[in-house]
Amino acid sequence: MQSSIVMNPDKKLDLSDKTKIPLKRVLGLTTSMLLVAGIMIGSGVFKKIAPMAASGLNQNYLLAAWIIAGIITMFGAFIIAGLSNLTTESGGQYEYLRISFGEFISFLFGWTAFTIIGSASVAALAFIFSQSVNSLIPLYNPFDNLKNISIDKFVFPFESSGVKILSIAAIIILTWINYRGTKKGATLNNFLTWIKVGGILMLITLGLFFSNHSQEPAINTSVNHLSQTTIYSAFFGVMLSAFWAYDGWADLAYVTGEIKNPKRNLPVAIITGVGLVMTMYVLANYAYMKTIPLDQLASIGENDIAASAVAKKILGNAGTVFISILIMISTLGALNAIIFSYPRLYYKMAQEKSFFKKAANVHPVFRTPYIALIYVMLWSSILVLSGTFDILTDMIIFAGFFFYVLLAWALIKMKRNGTITAKVIGYPVVPVIIILFAMALLINTIIIQPIQTVIGIGLMLSGVPFYYYFKRQ
């Protein structure tokens, strides 16, 4: 009898109320670390060097941008590691902000994640994955005759219909895998992340040791044609590109409620994962610039891939195929990791009566937040059809850094009032640096991207009426 109770703990649960079914702690340290790396490694490491090279800055500035962005990201990891002492439940940054500042601020974060940060990332990664497939195997566009139909000449739902259909199919399939169990989604992430890491290490090795050393030096050390003000603005601009490649490092905190021994494993996994990715990113971009001169990298078109040009220079046409397959795997892996993590945020919001209430439901058999997964699938698919996710992704970094300021402030507040007593790496210097750096970056972004900034702020504030609606319900 006693053995039966141990083997079947779900018999004690009231399965009729799906909001009361707990999630299972099944994620170990290695899986958690690979989830961090899996979310971060998408398409940015393969593409961002081209627009960064077009800024007019030399190699030293570009490498500095990757290194400084990596250090700031690591500082952010220290802050999340400190805030993780506040709770062992799912929700991550939403929970940290709720405990520190109350429900309204935390809701604005969660709403921004749903409308911009999370769902737009899902849509963008799915679209990039499908574009990678299309570059190898041209996709049929079944609605090509309707591609000029638009909504106010802004949304073209039938444009690139083959790519969009495959994008939505990828979102649906990965949602189904994650719907059927946390371990299934985590196992797929582990498999794809190991392939990604191996592929990037191979690319680094080829660039550093097997490129054509007889070419003219790729290093451009002159930026004399740029004023100091222009250099400052350009440097922050290229760091925005680097931050997009680093983005996603904090998403592991959303699944805290499913991590074994989270107070120990979550901080270790985030810090280790960020350190691994930062090292690979700096080495990969150095290898790119060692293989191809900056002026040639700068001339690469918006729809072309810098890493593909590097691989082709070293391996010929086989290099193009290699990079296309690697980007397919990388974006598919990052897509799976984001679909895995973000629904846990909306699940926690629903538990706190700050989201659609059915998002708090947990599947009685698979023990996953299945309704929240479906919500993400539906909204992300709509963004894919609309094509507006490209506009939204331009605002992801702005919105993210706005809340990083609040998270750093939350750590200072919780340490000063004694809520957090554990030692935090770099405290109090690190949160102050994050606040000052983020404020400088936000101000520069407002100056160079005023329209996107206004739209981003508008989308954040669009959550205000929904907040009062959820509370009234």
Side-chain angles (χ1 to χ4, degrees):
M1 183 67 166
Q2 184 177 2
S3 174
S4 176
I5 293 175
V6 173
M7 292 294 289
N8 298 284
D10 288 353
K11 286 188 175 181
K12 296 181 178 180
L13 300 175
D14 178 12
L15 299 182
S16 62
D17 186 354
K18 295 178 182 178
T19 64
K20 302 297 184 184
I21 303 173
L23 301 172
K24 285 185 176 181
R25 295 193 182 276
V26 296
L27 305 178
L29 177 58
T30 301
T31 296
S32 299
M33 182 191 71
L34 290 173
L35 188 58
V36 175
I39 294 172
M40 293 177 70
I41 303 173
S43 63
V45 66
F46 305 107
K47 300 181 67 173
K48 287 300 183 182
I49 188 61
M52 292 170 77
S55 67
L57 298 177
N58 63 32
Q59 173 175 292
N60 295 332
Y61 277 103
L62 299 187
L63 282 178
W66 283 103
I67 293 170
I68 293 174
I71 292 171
I72 294 297
T73 300
M74 183 63 78
F75 285 175
F78 294 159
I79 289 175
I80 295 298
L83 290 171
S84 67
N85 289 282
L86 291 174
T87 179
T88 58
E89 298 301 314
S90 296
Q93 297 92 296
Y94 168 82
E95 270 295 272
Y96 307 151
L97 292 172
R98 186 184 68 82
I99 295 169
S100 302
F101 301 119
E103 294 181 340
F104 181 71
I105 296 296
S106 62
F107 172 80
L108 285 184
F109 170 79
W111 183 257
T112 304
F114 184 69
T115 56
I116 304 175
I117 301 174
S119 300
S121 295
V122 170
L125 283 167
F127 199 83
I128 294 170
F129 163 74
S130 300
Q131 283 180 320
S132 301
V133 175
N134 190 49
S135 67
L136 280 179
I137 308 170
L139 299 172
Y140 173 65
N141 295 310
F143 303 112
D144 200 46
N145 58 326
L146 304 175
K147 65 181 181 181
N148 293 323
I149 295 176
S150 68
I151 300 174
D152 198 28
K153 295 184 178 180
F154 179 67
V155 175
F156 293 82
F158 300 106
E159 189 178 39
S160 302
S161 57
V163 171
K164 288 181 177 179
I165 290 171
L166 181 58
S167 301
I168 294 172
I171 293 172
I172 292 172
I173 291 170
L174 292 177
T175 299
W176 178 77
I177 292 172
N178 285 278
Y179 179 107
R180 292 183 59 82
T182 300
K183 277 193 172 182
K184 287 183 172 61
T187 300
L188 177 61
N189 173 76
N190 291 353
F191 174 72
L192 295 175
T193 301
W194 281 124
I195 294 177
K196 288 193 282 186
V197 170
I200 293 174
L201 290 177
M202 185 183 298
L203 185 61
I204 291 170
T205 302
L206 290 171
L208 293 180
F209 301 107
F210 297 100
S211 58
N212 182 5
H213 294 281
S214 65
Q215 68 173 9
E216 295 181 5
I219 299 176
N220 172 21
T221 59
S222 175
V223 288
N224 294 332
H225 62 288
L226 300 177
S227 67
Q228 287 298 317
T229 302
T230 303
I231 290 175
Y232 170 83
S233 183
F235 186 69
F236 268 88
V238 296
M239 271 201 296
L240 279 176
S241 292
F243 278 122
W244 165 248
Y246 281 114
D247 192 49
W249 56 271
D251 295 356
L252 177 67
Y254 298 143
V255 301
T256 303
E258 291 157 282
I259 296 176
K260 301 173 183 176
N261 191 9
K263 285 190 178 292
R264 170 187 170 273
N265 287 343
L266 190 147
V268 173
I270 288 182
I271 293 170
T272 305
V274 169
L276 171 67
V277 172
M278 175 185 172
T279 302
M280 290 195 300
Y281 279 9
V282 173
L283 289 175
N285 283 277
Y286 177 71
Y288 297 159
M289 292 183 284
K290 186 175 183 295
T291 305
I292 297 180
L294 281 180
D295 58 342
Q296 293 181 26
L297 287 172
S299 66
I300 292 175
E302 183 178 344
N303 295 322
D304 296 321
I305 299 166
S308 180
V310 171
K312 185 175 182 180
K313 187 176 183 66
I314 301 170
L315 299 175
N317 291 332
T320 303
V321 176
F322 166 70
I323 290 298
S324 296
I325 294 174
L326 184 56
I327 292 177
M328 283 170 51
I329 294 172
S330 293
T331 51
L332 186 66
L335 176 61
N336 174 70
I338 291 178
I339 290 174
F340 179 95
S341 59
Y342 269 95
R344 273 70 179 175
L345 164 60
Y346 315 133
Y347 155 79
K348 187 61 181 178
M349 290 176 68
Q351 283 191 322
E352 298 296 330
K353 308 295 189 293
S354 294
F355 201 64
F356 304 105
K357 59 183 180 181
K358 286 191 175 182
N361 288 3
V362 173
H363 198 284
V365 176
F366 304 127
R367 300 287 281 276
T368 55
Y370 67 109
I371 299 296
L373 279 160
I374 292 172
Y375 285 163
V376 172
M377 179 189 74
L378 293 175
W379 177 235
S380 300
S381 297
I382 291 171
L383 290 179
V384 169
L385 282 176
S386 70
T388 56
F389 57 83
D390 280 332
I391 299 172
L392 295 176
T393 53
D394 288 340
M395 298 174 290
I396 285 175
I397 302 303
F398 177 86
F401 269 90
F402 175 80
F403 288 106
Y404 290 158
V405 171
L406 294 180
L407 289 166
W409 181 13
L411 178 61
I412 294 172
K413 178 182 178 180
M414 294 294 101
K415 285 288 287 183
R416 293 189 66 179
N417 67 17
T419 304
I420 296 177
T421 57
K423 184 179 179 180
V424 178
I425 301 174
Y427 181 86
V429 176
V430 163
V432 172
I433 291 175
I434 286 288
I435 290 172
L436 295 176
F437 180 87
M439 292 300 295
L441 187 142
L442 290 171
I443 291 170
N444 187 73
T445 304
I446 291 171
I447 294 171
I448 65 175
Q449 294 182 343
I451 297 176
Q452 290 93 326
T453 300
V454 171
I455 296 173
I457 293 173
L459 284 171
M460 280 191 274
L461 295 179
S462 71
V464 173
F466 284 92
Y467 172 78
Y468 290 105
Y469 167 75
F470 291 131
K471 288 303 172 185
R472 189 169 63 250
Q473 290 295 102

